[in-house]
Each structure stands twice: as C-alpha cells, then as structure tokens.
Amino acid sequence: MLNIDHVSRRFGAVQALDDVTFSMADHGMTGFIGGNGAGKTTTMRIIMGIITADSGGVRWRHAPITPADVRRIGYMPAERGLYPTMPIGKQLAYFARIRGLSRQDAATSTERLLTELSLEHRSKDPVQNLSLGNQQRIQIAAALIGDPACLILDEPFSGLDPIAAETVGEILRSHSERGVPVLFSSHQLDLVERYCDHLVIIADGKIKATGSREGLLATHAGFSYEIGADDLTWLRAERGVIDVVPHGRKVRFTIDALNQDTAEVIAQEVLQRALGHGPVNSFQRWTPSLAEVFRDTIVDRPGEPGFDRRIRRLWRRPGLFQDKP
Amino acid sequence: MTSRGRTEAAPEKDAASDRAETSRPARLRTGPGDDNATGAASGGRKRWKDGIVQTWLVAGRDIDQQLHSRSFLITTLLLLLATVAGVVIAAVLTRPATGSDTTTVVAVAAELPSGTGLADDFTLIEAASANEAVADVRDGEADAAVIPDAAGGGLTIVARTTAPSGLVNALTTTPTVELLEPDTTGTPMTAAFTALGFGAVFMIVIQVCGAGVAQNTVIEKQTRIVEILLAAMPARVLIAGKILGSAVVALLQALLLALVLLGGMAIAGMTASLAAWAPAILWFVVLLITGFVLITSLYAALAALVSRVEEVSSATTPVTMLVMVAYLAPYIVILLGDEGATTLLGYLPVFSTIVMPTLISSGTATSGEAALAWLICLVATVGGILVAARVYRYSLLRTGKKVSFFRALSGSE
Ligand SMILES: Nc1ncnc2c1ncn2[C@@H]1O[C@H](COP(=O)(O)OP(=O)(O)O)[C@@H](O)[C@H]1O
Ligand SMILES: [Mg+2]
C-alpha cells in the first residue's frame, strides 16, 4: 500500500538518497536496515512529508500520498521523547487530535490504548514519573494512537535494554498481527532478524536488497556448509571446494556448483572424505545470520574486504534482488 | 463535469506539489455524477479550516501547559500582589488632600447643581461669572474654579498646573479638567517611574510567556516531537499556534493586571487618577500584546537554531538584550528629559510599548499618536513573524551544531 518511487534527496554536498525505490509489504513487519547515515531517517521523513524529495515520490494505495493519508500513518521519530511535564493521557489525546480525530474519538482512543498497555491508572501522570519501560510503552503509544493504517518507526529499539526492546517488539508484533503493516528502521540486526518478515537494505542512500527474510537468508546461504572435525587441513585441496574459512572451532566452506543438487552430492563426498580422516563432530548446511547477509549485501565493489563473489552471482538472478550498479 | 473529473484524476507530475495542494479523499469523490463543480475550492477551504483547527490545538496545548505551570502561577500572583500594593500606597499618599480646608475654590454659586456641597470641604469664593472665576485662578486667588458645562449637568475644573485631587474626588460626577499652564516637563520623575512600572510589567510578561515559547520550541526539537507535529501540520501552522498560545496567556495576564489596577483605583476612590490612567493602561495592553508577538516570534526562531535546552539561553541572548534595553532606555531617556529621543522611542516598535503609554499618561501624546505607534509596531510584528517562520521551518530538523541565523533565513542547504 506504500510505494517509494525513485526518491532522491541531496543535502548540500551529500547525496542522502539516490533513486530509492521499494514498496512496503501490506502485511507483517518490514525491517529497514542500514548503517549510520545510510538514509533511513531521510526516507522516513520524506514518507511522512516532513521534508520533501528532490525528485521521485511516495504513493499510498496507488495514488500520490496526501497530508490526509499521512495523518493515517503512525510515526515514531528517532531519539524519542515526549513533553516531559504533560500528563500522558492529555498527551496522547493531543497527538490524536492533531491527526484529525474529534475530541470524543481522541478520548476514546486514548482510554482504549492506555488500557491495552495496562497504563490506564497512570493517565494523569507526567511522562517523567513513569518507569523506563512504561516510558517506552507510552512512546510507542504516541504512534499507535488513533488506529493508524500503517506504522513507521525510526529506530524503535535503539538505546533500549533487552527487556525494553522485547516490550517494544511484542507491542509492534501484536499490531502487525492485527493487520497494521509496520516499517521500522534499525541497525541492530539481531533484533531485526527476530521481528521482521521482510527486509529492505540501504547503504549510502541506495537500496541494496529487498525481499522476505527467509528468501534473503536462503539465497545468501548459497552452497555453504559448516564442518567440525579435528583435522581439516586437507579441505582446501579438495576438488569443488572454495572459500574455506575457519569459523570458531569449525570451518565453513562453499561448494562451487551450478545448482543445489550438485552441491549436495559434492557435500556428501566431502563428508565421506572427512570421516575417512577421523571423527566428525558436526556437519551442516550453513545459514547465515542477518548480520552476515547485511555485511555481504552492502559491499558491492570487488576488492573491498568482505566482498564475496557468491553475492555477485546471486545478484544476477532476476527477481531476488534489485541490482543497483 | 466529466472532463473535469478526468483532469483531476490524472496523475500529477510532481508528487510534492500535489500533496500540498490537494487532499485525496476530495479527489476520490471526484468523478462523473458527483457534484464536483466546487471540488477544488472546497479542498482549499478545507485546508484552511484544518490549518485553523490545528493552530488552535497547538495554542490550546501551550496555554494549558502554561496555566498549569507553577512558575507561571507564582509570578502572576506576585505581579498581582505588587499591583495591589502599588494601588494601596498611591491611595494612602493621595488621601490627605481630600477635604482639606486649604484648597480655595472659586465658583458662580448660583450656577452649581444643588447638593454639590463644596462649601463644607473647601474655602469657597463667590465669582460673578465663569470668566471672572478663571481669572481668579490665573491670578492665584484660588486653586481651582468649578464651572458647570453649558450643556448637560457636567462640571469642568479649571486649575493652573494640576487639578487638586481632593476636589476631583469630592465631586459626585467626574469632572473635565482644564489646565491653564499644563506642566509637561516639570515632572520627569513621575513619567520616568511610570515608564519603569510599564517596563517592569512588559519585562515580566515577556520573560514568563515569551521565554516559555523558546523553551518549548527546543524541547520539541530535542525530543523530536516536532517531527510528529510536522507530519500532521505545516511549520507555519505550528509557529502560528505557538505564538497565538503565548499571546493569549500574555493577554490574560496583562488584562488581569490592568483590571486589578483600574479596579483598585476605583475602589480606592482615585477617580481622577482613574480617568487619567485608563487610556494609558489600555494602550499599554494593546501595544504590549503586539510587541509581545514580535518578541515571541524572535524567541521561537532563535531557539529553533539550537538542539538542546541548555543552549536556549545563550541562543536567545540577542532578544533578551533587546528586552532589557527596551525596559531601561525609556526610563533613562525620560529622566534625562530628552524630548527628541523620547518621541523617537515612542514610535520605535517594542520601545513604544513602554514609552507611548507613559506619554499618554502624562498628557503629552494623543490617542492618534498612540494609534500610529501601534500601526508601526504591527507592521514590524508581521515582518518579524515572516522572518521567524522562515528561520523556524529551516532549523527545526537540523540537530547537532547550532544553525546560523542568516543561513536559515536565506534557506540554503
Ligand atoms: N537536515 C540535514 N542536513 C544535512 N545533511 C543531512 C540532513 N539530514 C540527513 N543528512 C545527511 O544525509 C545522510 C543520511 O542521513 P540519515 O537519513 O539520517 O541516515 P540514517 O537515518 O540511516 O542514519 C547522512 O549523510 C546525513 O549526514
Ligand atoms: Mg537515522
């Protein structure tokens, strides 16, 4: 329902966004990941109409987005905070009203939301009197107020301890399960991995990859395996085995094959050979963590550390990645 | 009708301009069969209506916060107490004149309304005609002449330099006062202290309400609430709401003070002072609010340049200095008796808030001159708002290093 079409934005000498195009999934949680200065905040601000794009545009349900549409989107800016001395009930009602709700609707919505977050008895307290966890809840509530059609959250997990992060993650998940799509940015990949269903990866203002989490992880797994054994010195010389990398007490290797079936056959041969050399503690197909996928994805120039020709090969597959030269 | 519907539904070239000009629900309704002849106009009207509603929402929130703030309530209470104390002291100081036998009054007794009873309280001299009575005053035979107006039952008091306040208070109807040798330069102390009094109220109202806007602006920027606000409304609506909110609070505060001051004078029976002061005080309120809006816009703009609450006071130093100078300069200039400078300050925006009412109170300036000073201040205020809105919009999203004022004004990246 939300499409970002060829959005570019420059700040002085910095090209913050360069032809950014992606669409937000209609269901579930979409993680928007990228390092510091990658352009996540700028993208979100353009969606929310807080700043304008130099070129390109945003569509909402297939039509150019309007201020009225934006008010249907719940937004949480980065480095959050609320009015420190304003009672939380009043505060939430205020955010509801500036988004166009009537006084009555704002009051009802506030009451319902506070009850849902088990904070109904704190309605008259200012934010600064709440515990950190509750402050976090109220922060999210400011985006959730007024039944938004969609949620956009900039770094909702940054600066949170694991328990607070869990609280936030569960609130967001429960809303996404109720049919409100969520787009959240983060550079904490473990949390993204845990909560997102879809991924959009951005680096240097360019979109590097988009897709479902499973799809992305599976593709990046390629034909790599992990083996744990006492003696693996022979592995490098093995035919069809490339990229042998020690990984903790195990070794990760990739098989140079054209398809999964061939790779599987070669992998079984390697396993037999290993058993011939001695006992094998573990042997399994390797699935990368999101952090590894991310690291591989954002580096697209040969010769840079972390460059992996596997990735280059995968990018040529149509439909899985948008290849941005 | 149909062709219009088609034109409006056509895809826009520029999404950004589209989003500013139209609202999608209006366009969705647009189509064959709909009554859409006024579609575009009603979209524009709706945008205006939205803007006004949101301006009031922002203003309402700020007013609510201010009225619940302890420091605001305490300063307002202190101001009120000081005003009451001032009125009481003034009443005590002027009281001894009342009923004093030493005041000699001349009048054509036959023409006075019955029951005036001047002879009970004053030494009353009988005169043959109104002209003779005035001549007696000019010669120093009497302190004042009481002459009935030709039409109606009003009375005029004719005196040399000042009307005996005891006499003014003794009359049941408020008299018109005519001075033969009005004393404009003779009482610089009175005028200077008047300026100081107006200045004190001016400074306190601005410090309490105006500086609150600066503080709030930075809190919104630091906490990024401003992004939530800007997602829902344009920056100009936001700053308009903030200025409106603080102006309403300032107006409430100023009116409350004026009411207590004038009411106190009425209760203390200082009818003469009341008549002399009412126009000055009313002009003061009018000029105060206008000057206040100018100062507040500047506060908001300068505060928007920085990102942390700790930086507010240094960022807004130029305005604070301006307020200090506007507070002290009239006092000094009037005390020195520099008429040219006083007149100049009387028309200079912000300074006029203090100087013009002072001149009105001493009878040196007319309401017409005050109106001109107000117009000049109004023009400056409109200009100030435009400058401030521009700087404000440019700076709000730039966090970290302080934004340069002139850079923000020119709007360059
Ligand atoms: N208001 C601004 N003025 C100048 N440069 C900016 C501004 N906002 C963002 N940038 C620059 O644009 C780039 C992208 O920033 P941002 O969108 O905040 O990245 P992220 O949120 O992914 O960390 C950065 O290089 C940043 O310095
Ligand atoms: Mg960011």
Side-chain angles (χ1 to χ4, degrees):
Chain A
M1 62 168 76
L2 191 64
N3 301 73
I4 289 80
D5 302 325
H6 305 289
V7 167
S8 295
R9 168 77 203 216
R10 172 179 281 280
F11 292 106
V14 181
Q15 186 72 46
L17 297 181
D18 182 3
D19 198 27
V20 164
T21 300
F22 67 91
S23 47
M24 186 180 158
D26 286 356
H27 302 285
M29 294 173 66
T30 304
F32 189 26
I33 62 178
N36 265 331
K40 307 180 292 293
T41 299
T42 306
T43 306
M44 290 183 160
R45 285 176 173 174
I46 287 176
I47 295 175
M48 296 307 293
I50 298 167
I51 56 177
T52 52
D54 294 337
S55 61
V58 180
R59 278 178 302 139
W60 170 258
R61 295 183 178 149
H62 311 299
I65 196 165
T66 68
D69 298 332
V70 169
R71 288 188 204 152
R72 300 272 293 124
I73 302 176
Y75 173 59
M76 189 178 100
E79 288 176 52
R80 63 227 135 240
L82 293 168
Y83 290 109
T85 57
M86 193 175 178
I88 58 175
K90 262 190 192 176
Q91 195 149 191
L92 290 179
Y94 175 64
F95 289 131
R97 293 219 60 202
I98 60 169
R99 283 168 51 189
L101 269 72
S102 70
R103 186 186 299 270
Q104 184 57 50
D105 290 350
T108 319
S109 188
T110 301
E111 206 171 303
R112 192 155 28 109
L113 195 55
L114 284 177
T115 311
E116 203 175 294
L117 299 172
S118 327
L119 286 170
E120 66 274 23
H121 55 291
R122 308 300 299 268
S123 156
K124 293 205 163 53
D125 286 351
V127 180
Q128 59 192 12
N129 288 7
L130 299 182
S131 67
L132 276 178
N134 281 341
Q135 287 187 12
Q136 209 49 51
R137 285 201 169 102
I138 286 299
Q139 190 72 51
I140 298 282
L144 296 178
I145 190 80
D147 294 321
C150 162
L151 286 172
I152 292 187
L153 309 124
D154 199 357
E155 306 273 0
F157 299 112
S158 84
L160 299 189
D161 63 48
I163 293 171
E166 171 107 21
T167 310
V168 170
E170 292 312 321
I171 293 174
L172 295 184
R173 167 155 292 163
S174 79
H175 274 77
S176 98
E177 277 164 6
R178 271 183 258 166
V180 184
V182 178
L183 176 73
F184 69 101
S185 71
S186 187
H187 56 261
Q188 284 155 285
L189 300 170
D190 48 335
L191 286 164
V192 179
E193 186 163 17
R194 193 145 136 221
Y195 289 111
C196 76
D197 309 304
H198 312 275
L199 281 167
V200 176
I201 300 180
I202 187 171
D204 286 334
K206 300 182 189 71
I207 299 295
K208 298 293 182 183
T210 64
S212 74
R213 182 185 55 173
E214 280 74 29
L216 225 52
L217 292 182
T219 321
H220 273 256
F223 309 139
S224 293
Y225 294 81
E226 236 173 19
I227 181 169
D230 292 341
D231 172 28
L232 288 167
T233 44
W234 50 272
L235 192 54
R236 271 176 210 281
E238 192 69 18
R239 193 177 50 85
V241 169
I242 53 173
D243 289 342
V244 177
V245 190
H247 210 243
R249 293 181 56 208
K250 301 173 186 173
V251 164
R252 190 196 305 163
F253 64 95
T254 303
I255 289 169
D256 194 11
L258 284 175
N259 58 49
Q260 184 64 48
D261 292 344
T262 325
E264 200 56 40
V265 171
I266 297 174
Q268 290 307 320
E269 286 171 16
V270 171
L271 176 58
Q272 292 306 325
R273 187 72 48 87
L275 286 168
H277 281 85
V280 173
N281 309 325
S282 69
F283 185 85
Q284 65 189 144
R285 176 121 189 253
W286 175 73
T287 33
S289 70
L290 187 55
E292 284 158 318
V293 172
F294 177 69
R295 196 169 356 91
D296 286 348
T297 308
I298 64 167
V299 179
D300 62 348
R301 280 163 303 235
E304 290 214 358
F307 173 72
D308 190 335
R309 75 196 126 116
R310 234 174 352 164
I311 305 305
R312 229 178 358 161
R313 192 165 59 209
L314 287 167
W315 276 10
R316 293 201 202 95
R317 288 193 192 171
L320 276 171
F321 293 87
Q322 290 166 350
D323 196 351
K324 298 277 166 208
Chain B
M1 191 83 80
T2 313
S3 74
R4 185 193 174 86
R6 234 182 260 136
T7 335
E8 288 207 5
E12 261 75 16
K13 273 173 248 126
D14 181 2
S17 78
D18 164 68
R19 110 188 256 176
E21 298 311 326
T22 24
S23 83
R24 207 169 64 89
R27 189 172 45 217
L28 278 184
R29 280 197 303 274
T30 307
D34 280 0
D35 180 15
N36 63 354
T38 56
S42 77
R45 220 176 308 132
K46 181 168 186 316
R47 200 146 38 85
W48 266 100
K49 215 182 119 212
D50 274 6
I52 290 168
V53 168
Q54 294 194 313
T55 306
W56 269 112
L57 284 173
V58 173
R61 197 210 74 83
D62 282 11
I63 294 170
D64 185 79
Q65 175 180 334
Q66 190 74 289
L67 295 186
H68 282 92
S69 126
R70 189 174 299 243
S71 67
F72 171 80
L73 295 176
I74 290 175
T75 36
T76 308
L77 196 68
L78 288 179
L79 262 181
L80 286 177
L81 288 179
T83 310
V84 170
V87 172
V88 168
I89 291 170
V92 168
L93 287 182
T94 52
R95 185 61 73 193
T98 310
S100 154
D101 292 337
T102 54
T103 308
T104 311
V105 177
V106 63
V108 186
E111 293 177 7
L112 286 181
S114 56
T116 312
L118 286 177
D120 302 341
D121 293 331
F122 305 97
T123 313
L124 188 63
I125 308 178
E126 178 69 37
S129 69
N131 282 345
E132 198 176 293
V134 172
D136 280 352
V137 173
R138 188 168 288 128
D139 298 344
E141 299 269 315
D143 295 309
V146 179
I147 300 163
D149 294 344
L155 289 171
T156 300
I157 292 180
V158 181
R160 269 192 307 278
T161 52
T162 52
S165 61
L167 175 61
V168 174
N169 289 334
L171 295 174
T172 43
T173 52
T174 309
T176 318
V177 176
E178 247 175 51
L179 298 179
L180 296 173
E181 300 151 22
D183 185 2
T184 51
T185 51
T187 54
M189 277 310 275
T190 319
F193 279 112
T194 308
L196 210 56
F198 280 136
V201 175
F202 163 84
M203 202 161 80
I204 291 171
V205 168
I206 284 185
Q207 284 302 325
V208 173
C209 305
V213 171
Q215 190 85 2
N216 257 336
T217 299
V218 180
I219 287 181
E220 283 169 1
K221 190 174 168 183
Q222 184 172 10
T223 57
R224 308 295 174 95
I225 291 172
V226 71
E227 291 193 42
I228 300 180
L229 300 176
L230 288 180
M233 66 187 78
R236 59 173 185 279
V237 168
L238 184 54
I239 192 172
K242 301 203 88 61
I243 291 174
L244 179 66
S246 63
V248 167
V249 175
L251 184 66
L252 279 179
Q253 207 177 29
L255 282 180
L256 195 63
L257 284 177
L259 209 70
V260 167
L261 189 61
L262 295 176
M265 283 177 163
I267 292 170
M270 300 155 72
T271 25
S273 316
L274 188 62
W277 280 95
I281 289 172
L282 293 181
W283 274 116
F284 175 66
V285 172
V286 169
L287 283 163
L288 175 68
I289 294 308
T290 317
F292 175 86
V293 169
L294 173 58
I295 297 277
T296 307
S297 322
L298 296 178
Y299 261 128
L302 290 186
L305 299 175
V306 296
S307 309
R308 287 181 304 126
V309 172
E310 304 87 77
E311 296 168 293
V312 180
S313 61
S314 71
T316 55
T317 303
V319 196
T320 314
M321 292 297 285
L322 174 67
V323 173
M324 277 307 281
V325 172
Y327 166 54
L328 290 176
Y331 171 68
I332 294 167
V333 166
I334 292 174
L335 203 60
L336 293 177
D338 186 336
E339 278 187 44
T342 309
T343 313
L344 180 72
L345 291 188
Y347 291 104
L348 196 65
V350 180
F351 293 82
S352 61
T353 301
I354 297 164
V355 177
M356 200 36 93
T358 307
L359 295 182
I360 294 263
S361 77
S362 66
T364 329
T366 63
S367 288
E369 287 167 319
L372 179 62
W374 176 67
L375 271 181
I376 294 173
C377 188
L378 194 64
V379 170
T381 301
V382 171
I385 291 176
L386 293 179
V387 166
R390 202 179 156 85
V391 171
Y392 186 74
R393 177 157 73 204
Y394 178 91
S395 318
L396 275 185
L397 293 173
R398 281 159 218 263
T399 46
K401 230 176 84 218
K402 188 180 171 199
V403 183
S404 145
F405 180 83
F406 293 102
R407 194 148 213 232
L409 195 56
S410 71
S412 63
E413 295 291 356

